[in-house]
Amino acid sequence: MLRLALLYLLLTPLLSSSQERGFYARNDMSSEEPRYSFGTKKQRSASIDFGDINNDGLIDAVVANGRHWPETNYIFYNYGKGFNEMTPIGKISATSYATELVDLDNDGDLDLLEINDNAPHKIYLNDSKGNFQFHSTVAEISNARNVALGDIDNNGYIDFIITNRGQKNIICYNNGNLKFDCVKLDAKKNSTIDIAIKDLNNDQLPDLVLANRDNIPNEIFINKGNRKFEKELDFGTGSFETRSVAIDDMNNDGYLDIVTGNINGSNSIYLGSKNFSFMTTVAFGANDTDTYSIALADFNKDGLMDIVTGNYLKPNIVFLNIDGNRFKKIELTNNSSRTYDIVVVDINSDGWMDIAEANSDDFNLYYLNIFNQEP
């Protein structure tokens, strides 16, 4: 039986100005014509990712659109005063759930991995000037919902895992020279939306934490080396319908914790411990808020990892970490969207982590961190 550690939110009144909230975005001034957005199109956006695509020292963005309907994905180039130029990715619109920037060929520039729902998954190579050319398809067509990146087999090349709802997840091991061995993760039940990759047991091998839907408990798979994984344990009730997962030491006790974003229930922190059980939990967020995405960052640089949640038809929320059990709740704006992805990134290179969100049928927005400007 889970031992529930109750979380006490500090219910301080929200202030009307975003400057006083710790984040600044022009959409607070005009929700009809936000300047701090990625273009003007309202598409079925599913994810957003960042990186310096053209090696000019500025952070660019890529947005995946469509989900179950073919739409065009876009690159947004940063020229120092916002994202001033955009270009489509490829010539064929697809049902995209993710477009991730990653150096797949170890040539020093960021390539692009496009993950699609029941359409071919694609690799685009960067010409080192920020232009992408289609290279190949990869893996088999699947009910894809997301992708996780990491050097899973420690061979110096970035691998990736395609998460599939209702199907086995696909691990694509990168052998170098853009050659991949794609195999299925052996699990009895399969409905994964997100995967976090992290070494949980300090054996220098990245393990997997699966966020599952459809009444399937969340799972931990331990990396046994030689591209083999072994199921370690289930955690959570399975009824929360988890859509997002992240890992960090939330209470600074030296053990990694697991943070999940859930629908049909509050979000949860599963506290790590010496016995590796993840039985003690901390709940955060409202029971009636469906969280589709979470991200972690120390927004105010107090040494504690904070949480931001991307929510469905409820305002997106930052939870400032007080002590690992208590959090201060900050709504980014009063507006509500269908947020499918929320990420943390230093957009303006000032050393403070900002927030960006991918919204379905709404503007995709970003919020600049101004905690360093507060007295």
Side-chain angles (χ1 to χ4, degrees):
M1 185 173 182
L2 294 178
R3 300 191 301 275
L4 181 63
L6 294 177
L7 171 112
Y8 297 97
L9 293 177
L10 302 183
L11 299 179
T12 54
L14 292 177
L15 301 173
S16 60
S17 169
S18 62
Q19 289 97 323
E20 296 169 311
R21 297 177 190 171
F23 295 91
Y24 177 69
R26 283 286 181 89
N27 69 299
D28 287 329
M29 297 182 180
S30 173
S31 61
E32 298 300 319
E33 227 177 17
R35 284 289 301 277
Y36 282 27
S37 67
F38 300 91
T40 59
K41 291 186 176 181
K42 296 183 179 182
Q43 297 182 284
R44 291 182 170 93
S45 298
S47 79
I48 188 167
D49 194 27
F50 292 86
D52 184 2
I53 295 172
N54 51 6
N55 293 316
D56 64 352
L58 299 171
I59 297 297
D60 310 300
V62 292
V63 176
N65 298 310
R67 302 201 321 275
H68 308 298
W69 304 268
E71 291 187 352
T72 302
N73 302 322
Y74 287 97
I75 303 166
F76 292 88
Y77 295 98
N78 184 349
Y79 288 102
K81 293 186 177 180
F83 297 86
N84 310 97
E85 186 175 283
M86 61 181 270
T87 185
I89 299 171
K91 298 179 180 179
I92 299 174
S93 297
T95 50
S96 296
Y97 260 92
T99 48
E100 297 294 309
L101 293 168
V102 53
D103 186 0
L104 291 173
D105 52 7
N106 282 15
D107 66 350
D109 56 37
L110 294 172
D111 308 305
L112 192 142
L113 178 63
E114 178 184 285
I115 301 301
N116 299 309
D117 176 36
N118 285 299
H121 310 305
K122 300 175 184 178
I123 292 173
Y124 293 86
L125 295 183
N126 192 332
D127 67 357
S128 78
K129 298 178 182 178
N131 304 305
F132 291 101
Q133 295 292 327
F134 172 75
H135 175 265
S136 66
T137 61
V138 64
E140 65 183 60
I141 294 173
S142 61
N143 299 333
R145 295 296 182 270
N146 209 337
V147 66
L149 306 170
D151 185 2
I152 300 170
D153 56 0
N154 288 344
N155 71 344
Y157 292 93
I158 298 297
D159 314 302
F160 57 90
I161 308 175
I162 301 169
T163 66
N164 297 313
R165 186 175 183 184
Q167 297 175 336
K168 288 187 176 181
N169 303 309
I170 301 171
I171 305 177
C172 289
Y173 293 102
N174 189 342
N175 297 314
N177 296 317
L178 295 167
K179 303 296 183 182
F180 298 88
D181 291 333
C182 295
V183 299
K184 294 179 180 178
L185 180 66
D186 188 18
K188 292 182 179 180
K189 295 182 179 180
N190 304 274
S191 203
T192 304
I193 304 299
D194 192 20
I195 291 179
I197 301 174
K198 197 90 168 185
D199 180 8
L200 294 174
N201 55 0
N202 294 317
D203 64 355
Q204 309 307 310
L205 294 171
D207 307 305
L208 309 178
V209 179
L210 276 61
N212 293 322
R213 288 198 63 184
D214 303 321
N215 296 314
I216 298 174
N218 301 318
E219 302 169 283
I220 296 175
F221 283 80
I222 296 299
N223 192 336
K224 309 303 286 188
N226 297 315
R227 298 183 172 181
K228 301 293 183 182
F229 284 90
E230 186 176 287
K231 172 75 170 287
E232 177 72 15
L233 56 87
D234 296 332
F235 67 97
T237 65
S239 62
F240 274 162
E241 298 273 347
T242 301
R243 290 194 63 115
S244 187
V245 62
I247 301 171
D248 214 297
D249 184 358
M250 301 301 294
N251 54 5
N252 288 352
D253 66 350
Y255 296 100
L256 290 174
D257 310 307
I258 300 172
V259 186
T260 63
N262 306 315
I263 60 177
N264 301 326
S266 59
N267 302 317
S268 299
I269 303 172
Y270 297 83
L271 298 177
S273 61
K274 186 177 181 180
N275 63 13
F276 204 79
S277 66
F278 297 99
M279 293 290 289
T280 301
T281 64
V282 174
F284 69 97
N287 288 328
D288 63 349
T289 298
D290 292 336
T291 295
Y292 276 33
S293 181
I294 60 171
L296 309 178
D298 184 1
F299 291 116
N300 55 0
K301 295 191 178 183
D302 65 350
L304 291 165
M305 197 61 62
D306 308 307
I307 306 169
V308 59
T309 62
N311 303 316
Y312 191 85
L313 294 178
K314 291 288 181 69
N316 295 331
I317 297 173
V318 171
F319 294 90
L320 289 180
N321 193 341
I322 305 301
D323 57 11
N325 286 297
R326 296 177 300 152
F327 291 77
K328 179 181 178 180
K329 173 181 170 182
I330 302 173
E331 290 185 357
L332 285 173
T333 72
N334 298 324
N335 301 323
S336 299
S337 298
R338 297 173 179 86
T339 300
Y340 273 76
D341 192 24
I342 200 154
V343 301
V344 293
V345 59
D346 185 2
I347 289 175
N348 54 2
S349 301
D350 66 350
W352 295 75
M353 297 303 288
D354 310 306
I355 296 170
E357 59 191 31
N359 297 316
S360 180
D361 301 296
D362 206 343
F363 294 110
N364 298 316
L365 304 171
Y366 61 96
Y367 304 82
L368 296 180
N369 187 331
I370 55 170
F371 277 104
N372 60 327
Q373 300 176 21
E374 295 185 348

